[in-house]
Amino acid sequence: MNIADSQTVTAILRRAGYATTDNPGEADVILLNTCAIREHAEARVLGRLSDLARLKSAHPERKLGLLGCMAQHNRAALMRKAPWLDLVAGPDSYRRLPELLGNASFDPAVDVRLDRTETYADVSPEYDNGVRAYVTAMRGCDKFCAFCVVPYVRGRERSVPACDILREVHQLAARGVKEIVLLGQTVNAYRYEQIGFGKLLCMVAAVDGIERIRFTSPHPSDMTPDVIEAMAREPKVQPYLHLPVQSGSDRVLSAMGRGYTTEQYLHTVEYLRSAIPNIAFSTDIIVGFHSEDEHDFAATLGLMRTVGYDSAFMFKYSLREHTRAFKLGDTVSEVEKSRRLAEVIALQETISLERNRALVGHEFPVLVEGPARRGQGMLAGKTPQFKTALFPAVPCIKPGDTVRVRVDSATAHSLTCALV
Ligand code: SAM
Ligand code: SF4
């Protein structure tokens, strides 16, 4: 989502006459786009800001700005810790950036007003040249999970008009993009006038040239039959779903205010598996939330085994100011959180490896993305289930092509394949 937001910011600044550079040493303006979801992310940004302060002291007229959720979350502390910042702008203030940059030469310009209607629908982001593009379908969140800062820093839920999404997708298809990822904090809560998320998937699937459609992150409570049916019916919608569960304990899920029980969640997984038999799942898991005990933690491990996730993002609970759970404090020590995190990671590695090894000998269509990060002479791409496939580079195969591969061997994180 931050990549998508940065592309929107780039487009807004380009309209105002700015150009981008890959070299911070020659920039007149340096903007850092940030995340506030966990304290760890914030700590890294502060480290990065002090590096950039050196670039600014070499050229004091150079403007340094901080964008995004962290700007929204704790601007006062930020201005104290990084007094050399010229500009602080929240996620709904990007349209005013040219103006704010104009003002930045005297007082630090701060704009963190949240706007219930801002969707940047008319701004075509500055997409990169990849085969996949991220298209924002909705912004903000109304769910207010007890641990989460998103509704406070990104504001309330609002959907981008379907016609603007489709215009964007048509333009991307014309540029050769093959895969669209629809984005939103609770993307399947999408609603614009009479159009819900299932309908939106079908509308995007009707665009010629687009071969694959994915979306992230859906909320389990909004995984309604119309969305599942659209996924099953539209061959372009890929058989992969990131379905964040957070915990396998009903008591913890209720304390988190997630709005579903494990039974309801598992029912959704079953429904999806019966509608889309080859579907792969990934998830988000938080360990060490307020009052999580050994029993709750064991339930999380149990649920991970029951679902058999193909992959997972796993986090230690991070207490966030402004959230409902903030005043409850931390009850699980840092050492214990680390132990639980190591255990879920180890379990997930085992499950991922098992699931990937079961694919050896199977064939998949892979959308080619480009050279593999590791492995000389190899290309990389994704299977429909969003697994990374590595296969030998052949001169006639280029990014954007779809090739058929057979899996030769597997690790927990990738599949090594032969072309068939
Ligand atoms: N909207 C998505 C959902 O509810 O499923 C998730 C969006 S959130 C930006 C991404 C993930 O960050 C969450 O699923 C959760 O696992 C994690 N997260 C959010 N707040 C957290 C916190 N305070 N501590 C640790 N992890 C957190
Ligand atoms: Fe945060 Fe997701 Fe819950 Fe919204 S639904 S509050 S983004 S975890």
Side-chain angles (χ1 to χ4, degrees):
M1 281 172 207
N2 270 3
I3 292 173
D5 271 13
S6 296
Q7 291 172 336
T8 297
V9 167
T10 308
I12 289 170
L13 289 177
R14 199 177 283 279
R15 272 191 196 173
Y18 289 87
T20 50
T21 170
D22 289 335
N23 176 8
E26 67 174 34
D28 300 314
V29 176
I30 301 178
L31 302 173
L32 269 194
N33 195 4
T34 61
C35 171
I37 201 86
R38 283 171 296 278
E39 206 177 343
H40 178 64
E42 291 199 349
R44 282 177 51 196
V45 169
L46 284 172
R48 191 71 190 280
L49 271 180
S50 30
D51 293 344
L52 291 176
R54 252 170 273 138
L55 280 179
K56 180 159 171 76
S57 60
H59 291 278
E61 72 290 355
R62 177 173 284 152
K63 287 170 187 169
L64 189 55
L66 193 106
L67 312 182
C69 296
M70 191 174 158
Q72 193 76 37
H73 188 220
N74 52 8
R75 57 196 167 277
L78 262 172
M79 306 297 285
R80 224 177 28 249
K81 289 180 189 158
W84 56 88
L85 273 175
D86 296 294
L87 167 86
V88 174
D92 288 347
S93 306
Y94 300 151
R95 216 178 266 283
R96 289 185 289 275
L97 274 176
E99 196 186 317
L100 290 167
L101 281 166
N103 288 343
S105 51
F106 32 102
D107 263 347
V110 177
D111 191 337
V112 289
R113 280 171 285 180
L114 286 176
D115 182 333
R116 276 173 179 257
T117 58
E118 180 61 273
T119 57
Y120 302 108
D122 58 314
V123 180
S124 279
E126 182 97 358
Y127 292 105
D128 57 25
N129 290 324
V131 297
R132 177 182 305 123
Y134 294 89
V135 175
T136 300
M138 51 87 70
R139 299 180 72 86
C141 179
D142 279 356
K143 296 271 195 281
F144 289 91
C145 301
F147 53 81
C148 183
V149 81
V150 166
Y152 306 93
V153 294
R154 297 186 77 83
R156 304 305 294 267
E157 187 181 297
R158 57 230 118 108
S159 295
V160 180
C163 56
D164 289 304
I165 296 175
L166 287 178
R167 191 201 56 225
E168 206 68 66
V169 174
H170 275 286
Q171 283 173 7
L172 288 163
R175 282 181 34 182
V177 166
K178 304 284 187 229
E179 180 171 303
I180 296 292
V181 185
L182 294 171
L183 288 182
Q185 293 293 343
T186 52
V187 69
N188 52 342
Y190 179 89
R191 176 147 295 277
Y192 190 77
E193 293 172 347
Q194 297 312 309
I195 302 169
F197 191 63
K199 180 90 200 296
L200 182 68
L201 284 176
C202 301
M203 291 166 86
V204 175
V207 177
D208 282 342
I210 297 303
E211 295 173 8
R212 294 181 167 199
I213 299 164
R214 304 181 189 278
F215 54 91
T216 197
S217 283
H219 190 281
S221 306
D222 294 313
M223 214 56 226
T224 46
D226 65 307
V227 177
I228 298 176
E229 297 306 327
M231 287 181 75
R233 203 173 48 243
E234 287 295 344
K236 289 185 185 176
V237 180
Q238 299 297 291
Y240 162 70
L241 197 66
H242 180 68
L243 197 60
V245 68
Q246 316 298 357
S247 169
S249 153
D250 283 325
R251 202 186 59 76
V252 172
L253 284 177
S254 159
M256 286 176 163
R258 285 290 290 177
Y260 52 82
T261 60
T262 50
E263 191 187 343
Q264 287 165 328
Y265 181 92
L266 289 171
H267 179 263
T268 303
V269 167
E270 279 319 305
Y271 185 172
L272 280 153
R273 280 212 164 114
S274 61
I276 308 156
N278 59 348
I279 193 168
F281 287 101
S282 61
T283 197
D284 290 343
I285 286 177
I286 298 178
V287 297
F289 182 66
H290 176 268
S291 84
E292 183 189 77
D293 60 21
E294 275 303 329
H295 191 69
D296 299 313
F297 178 61
T300 297
L301 296 172
L303 183 125
M304 289 170 72
R305 287 191 199 95
T306 305
V307 177
Y309 293 106
D310 290 80
S311 62
F313 296 100
M314 296 153 282
F315 312 106
K316 287 193 259 186
Y317 174 51
S318 170
L319 199 64
R320 304 276 62 205
E321 215 175 329
H322 307 309
T323 59
R324 285 196 288 126
F326 183 67
K327 51 185 178 304
L328 301 174
D330 257 334
T331 52
V332 182
S333 71
E334 197 53 33
V335 172
E336 181 57 19
K337 280 184 194 172
S338 299
R339 185 192 68 79
R340 292 182 195 177
L341 182 66
E343 204 167 323
V344 287
I345 290 174
L347 173 61
Q348 186 54 51
E349 286 275 316
T350 313
I351 299 173
S352 299
L353 184 61
E354 224 168 74
R355 294 190 69 82
N356 285 353
R357 279 199 178 143
L359 301 175
V360 171
H362 288 238
E363 290 185 12
F364 294 100
V366 168
L367 176 61
V368 181
E369 293 180 20
R373 250 186 276 162
R374 265 175 266 161
Q376 281 281 317
M378 300 289 272
L379 289 173
K382 296 285 188 208
T383 67
Q385 289 78 5
F386 207 57
K387 291 182 189 278
T388 301
L390 309 170
F391 51 93
V394 174
C396 62
I397 299 178
K398 50 185 196 316
D401 290 347
T402 295
V403 295
R404 208 161 171 84
V405 303
R406 191 182 48 249
V407 181
D408 279 343
S409 65
T411 68
H413 304 282
S414 64
L415 309 172
T416 302
C417 310
L419 290 161
V420 292

